[in-house]
Amino acid sequence: MTELRHLVSIDDLSLTEMQALFDAAKGFSEDLTAHSKLCPGRISASLFYEPSTRTRLSFESAMLRLGGGVITAADMRVSSASKGESLADTVRVVGGGYADVLVLRHPSEGAARLAAEFSPVPVINAGDGSHEHPTQTLCDLYSLWVERGRIEGLDVVLAGDLRYSRTIHSFAYALARFGANILCVPQGGFELPDYVMQRLREEFGVEPVRANASKMGELAAESDVIYMTPQKPHQLSLFTDAKGWNVSHVDAVYMTRPQTERYKAGEGEDLSYLQLGKSALAADSLRDAVVMHPLPRRDEISAEIDSDPRSIYFKQAARGVPIRMAILAALAGELPLLDSPPAAGMPTYPVLEGENPCPNPNCISNTETRHAVPRVALASRLPLRVQCAFCSQRLVVGAVGCLATRRHHEPGSPGLRRVRPEEMRFFLDAQTAERAGFPAAGEAHPV
Ligand code: NCD
């Protein structure tokens, strides 16, 4: 039996699988109406706990174009969620014969991961809080690939609210994996979150350096621009001048709106937000950059550049249909685009004792405590790096217990090297480990 595949994070797909999805989408886009024999009898369910226009409608259009059907809960606030029904119960019900694939959007980070644990059918993450939005990223990468013929080596600007934009986080991880260079042009105070930066550096080998963005003109005038390249070897010092990486040419500008619905009280007040209009686009380095936006936009892209041939955001939105046709047909098992079994992801382990170590109040492990059993994902053994298996935020671990010896070690201690990952249990601190029956292993000198 083939293993059930979900699309929760962009990391769930290998680069080869993504390329196969782009190729299939390209084929579909030649005639969107010619593929209604691919998924007849299949039903997708849209479970939307947050507003949506493009994502929900393009998914539904994609399933209908594949010959399947859709059932839709466009606003889960008018479902039994308002009676207190949990996400875990909802996906068990809807995945239990009502639908063959679930498309879920939810305000809590990690919601789609939790749904995948309970769903008997594939779950597609259509946006979970400010965490990830992998299918928008596939649409964005597909657009770049169609426009530029490659992704590797492109210089891509990520601009605006990089802190709360889930589209940015998934896109940044994927760009790094494809070997594209990222230029961060954040709105002041809305830089990439630390956990995203850490993942980019430590998992994807990205090296951030300051950039001299004088040739980017207005767009970068008020921003501290950071250049991040996954290209190896890291010999940036050979290429950078005293002011940092010299930006002379940009392939794409990806603009995002302020994610005001996620701001804490007082955050972003009096924000004079970045703006891309005719004069900003006149900058030397942007002369042949495509302008992208996941939409909806507010004022950050002026309507005066809609007719500029570099503005591709409406084409990008249109490409949501063929790429989502490819995703649905692949997850339904109707197109052999995905490997089986999937490439091994990060191993995850239960937390043995005590409180949830995830510090993120908006993580599903803290918002749906009835069903979410806190889990830790092991990003690296040496040095030890662990993150919440739901929302990917870095976790502080003060002690690691060994199930075989029932002793605990400090994270940097030599004894920990002998503990097999599947025997590791993670604790906030030594006291919690001791309370759980894991006394100290007695190593005097951590290294
Ligand atoms: C994005 C989202 O929902 O994160 N929209 C989309 O899916 N195209 C971007 C946004 O809302 O800013």
Side-chain angles (χ1 to χ4, degrees):
M1 204 181 92
T2 53
E3 200 169 328
L4 188 60
R5 289 283 305 251
H6 304 282
L7 178 49
V8 168
S9 159
I10 195 66
D11 298 346
D12 293 339
L13 295 171
S14 69
L15 296 183
T16 324
E17 289 173 330
M18 287 192 240
Q19 186 59 55
L21 292 168
F22 304 156
D23 292 332
K26 186 95 184 17
F28 288 139
S29 71
E30 276 152 29
D31 183 356
L32 291 174
T33 63
H35 309 281
S36 59
K37 300 265 178 328
L38 259 180
C39 293
R42 300 300 187 118
I43 295 176
S44 72
S46 309
L47 303 177
F48 277 64
Y49 292 76
E50 274 192 344
S52 170
T53 302
R54 270 151 297 274
T55 305
R56 185 173 66 81
L57 295 180
S58 62
F59 259 117
E60 294 180 356
S61 167
M63 191 46 132
L64 293 169
R65 290 195 181 285
L66 291 169
V70 295
I71 51 176
T72 184
D75 180 359
M76 286 298 288
R77 284 168 307 182
V78 294
S79 75
S80 287
S82 68
K83 302 181 194 166
E85 186 164 40
S86 66
L87 176 63
D89 285 355
T90 305
V91 300
R92 278 184 282 203
V93 170
V94 184
Y98 295 13
D100 306 300
V101 56
L102 310 183
V103 181
L104 172 74
R105 172 168 286 188
H106 197 280
S108 294
E109 283 103 49
R113 184 67 70 200
L114 180 73
E117 282 182 7
F118 286 89
S119 171
V121 299
V123 171
I124 300 176
N125 182 5
D128 59 331
S130 58
H131 184 220
E132 282 214 46
H133 194 346
T135 71
Q136 179 65 44
T137 289
L138 288 169
C139 175
D140 302 336
L141 294 167
Y142 171 57
S143 265
L144 264 184
W145 174 72
V146 170
E147 298 288 334
R148 290 287 185 244
R150 67 189 164 100
I151 299 169
E152 188 182 353
L154 295 181
D155 289 303
V156 181
V157 169
L158 303 181
D161 179 350
L162 310 188
R163 182 179 171 81
Y164 291 106
S165 291
R166 53 196 174 196
T167 63
I168 290 281
H169 306 156
S170 298
F171 196 34
Y173 299 143
L175 287 171
R177 284 172 65 205
F178 269 103
N181 307 311
I182 301 168
L183 275 151
C184 288
V185 181
Q187 179 69 38
F190 293 87
E191 293 78 16
L192 278 179
D194 288 345
Y195 80 93
V196 174
M197 280 300 274
Q198 275 167 338
R199 287 200 68 200
L200 286 169
R201 291 177 86 127
E202 293 165 4
E203 282 171 49
F204 307 120
V206 156
E207 213 36 79
V209 288
R210 265 189 41 243
N212 168 12
S214 51
K215 287 202 181 136
M216 284 174 74
E218 264 176 44
L219 177 65
E222 311 227 338
S223 185
D224 287 329
V225 181
I226 302 287
Y227 181 79
M228 301 199 281
T229 179
Q231 311 290 337
K232 292 197 173 67
H234 292 305
Q235 291 183 315
L236 281 170
S237 52
L238 297 180
F239 305 109
T240 51
D241 63 22
K243 287 189 190 153
W245 179 264
N246 217 337
V247 183
S248 55
H249 177 265
V250 165
D251 292 289
V253 177
Y254 188 96
M255 183 57 110
T256 52
R257 73 177 168 92
Q259 305 282 308
T260 36
E261 71 273 36
R262 308 204 191 283
Y263 292 178
K264 302 181 187 87
E267 206 174 10
E269 267 167 20
D270 306 324
L271 198 67
S272 102
Y273 202 76
L274 295 179
Q275 265 216 328
L276 201 55
K278 257 191 183 144
S279 59
L281 262 195
D284 194 28
S285 67
L286 306 182
R287 58 196 171 273
D288 54 11
V290 290
V291 179
M292 304 174 72
H293 194 304
L295 301 177
R297 73 170 149 181
R298 291 199 202 149
D299 302 320
E300 63 280 0
I301 290 191
S302 153
E304 67 183 14
I305 63 164
D306 287 355
S307 54
D308 188 301
R310 291 170 290 181
S311 298
I312 61 156
Y313 28 90
F314 291 116
K315 281 199 224 166
Q316 183 188 348
R319 290 179 182 133
V321 174
I323 194 72
R324 289 184 169 110
M325 287 170 77
I327 297 165
L328 287 169
L331 286 177
E334 298 296 351
L335 280 183
L337 305 177
L338 304 180
D339 297 334
S340 183
M346 240 180 242
T348 70
Y349 304 98
V351 177
L352 255 197
E353 150 92 2
E355 321 104 81
N356 181 2
C358 180
N360 173 9
N362 202 38
C363 174
I364 195 81
S365 68
N366 284 313
T367 60
E368 190 163 313
T369 47
R370 268 183 291 161
H371 297 285
V373 178
R375 290 183 75 79
V376 168
L378 187 60
S380 149
R381 270 197 74 176
L382 284 170
L384 185 76
R385 284 189 279 108
V386 295
Q387 59 190 50
C388 172
F390 294 101
C391 73
S392 316
Q393 300 243 353
R394 185 60 60 90
L395 301 180
V396 177
V397 167
V400 182
C402 170
L403 286 179
T405 61
R406 306 295 294 184
R407 301 271 162 181
H408 82 253
H409 303 263
E410 288 181 32
S413 65
L416 188 57
R417 296 187 187 167
R418 291 192 292 273
V419 181
R420 292 212 304 271
E422 58 278 16
E423 288 177 340
M424 289 182 180
R425 288 299 179 265
F426 305 94
F427 299 97
L428 277 174
D429 49 37
Q431 290 77 0
T432 324
E434 273 159 27
R435 272 204 309 276
F438 288 80
E443 287 159 306
H445 303 293
V447 286

